[in-house]
């Protein structure tokens, strides 16, 4: 059985990351990704996931967190607001981290999840929602 799904394809990770970054930046710049702090019916899935995330974190004790794939900072803000802890974020999208920085004032960096700009053990909790 030799179809497209069974073939191994070598991927240039740098070129792939650049294409994803560009596509994500365009999406954020034209339509946004996450809601701000007010509820919007079209963003119900974000609110549902936020409630589930906060519920899962209730039993954990942490003072610092890193959101890998933070995009516009919606989940970072929810954790910072509910827990009063230090929350940092990284995302491949330059536009996403700019929105997170501007909208919520949270520390963020544009970086790949496979090359985080932090030392091992720098955070009590590392999570990803997407």
């Amino acid at each position: 059985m030799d179809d497209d799904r069974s073939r191994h394809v070598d991927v240039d990770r740098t070129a792939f990351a650049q294409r994803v970054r560009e596509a994500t930046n365009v999406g954020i710049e034209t339509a946004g990704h996450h809601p701000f702090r007010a509820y919007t019916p079209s963003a119900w899935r974000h609110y549902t996931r936020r409630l589930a995330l906060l519920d899962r974190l209730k039993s954990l004790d942490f003072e610092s967190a890193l959101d890998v794939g933070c995009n516009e900072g919606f989940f970072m803000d929810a954790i910072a607001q509910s827990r009063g802890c230090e929350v940092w974020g990284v995302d491949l999208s330059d536009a996403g981290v700019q929105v997170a920085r501007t909208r919520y004032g949270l520390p963020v960096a544009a970086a790949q999840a496979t090359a985080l700009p932090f030392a091992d053990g720098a955070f009590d909790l590392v999570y990803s929602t997407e």
Side-chain angles (χ1 to χ4, degrees):
M1 178 179 208
D2 188 30
D3 63 22
D4 288 337
R5 293 174 292 167
S6 65
R7 293 186 197 150
H8 175 74
V9 177
D10 289 328
V11 175
D12 177 341
R13 290 176 185 259
T14 303
F16 177 77
Q18 182 60 33
R19 285 194 305 271
V20 171
R21 178 180 291 114
E22 290 167 0
T24 304
N25 285 346
V26 168
I28 290 168
E29 291 165 356
T30 58
H33 180 72
H34 288 119
F36 192 34
R37 289 185 174 133
Y39 177 78
T40 58
S42 63
W44 66 268
R45 67 185 179 96
H46 297 295
Y47 293 99
T48 302
R49 288 175 44 221
R50 179 177 70 177
L51 291 173
L53 176 64
L54 293 175
D55 185 58
R56 293 288 184 179
L57 297 179
K58 276 192 232 177
S59 64
L60 299 179
D61 184 31
F62 60 94
E63 294 180 18
S64 64
L66 173 65
D67 184 337
V68 179
C70 69
N71 205 291
E72 296 174 358
F74 180 71
F75 296 105
M76 292 173 59
D77 180 62
I79 291 171
Q81 293 291 320
S82 71
R83 299 295 293 259
C85 68
E86 179 182 22
V87 183
W88 287 64
V90 295
D91 196 273
L92 190 57
S93 168
D94 307 291
V97 298
Q98 182 58 41
V99 170
R101 185 178 296 118
T102 302
R103 184 179 285 174
Y104 301 111
L106 296 170
V108 290
Q112 293 185 38
T114 56
L116 297 174
F118 305 103
D120 288 350
F123 300 95
D124 298 328
L125 173 72
V126 176
Y127 69 95
S128 180
T129 60
E130 296 189 39

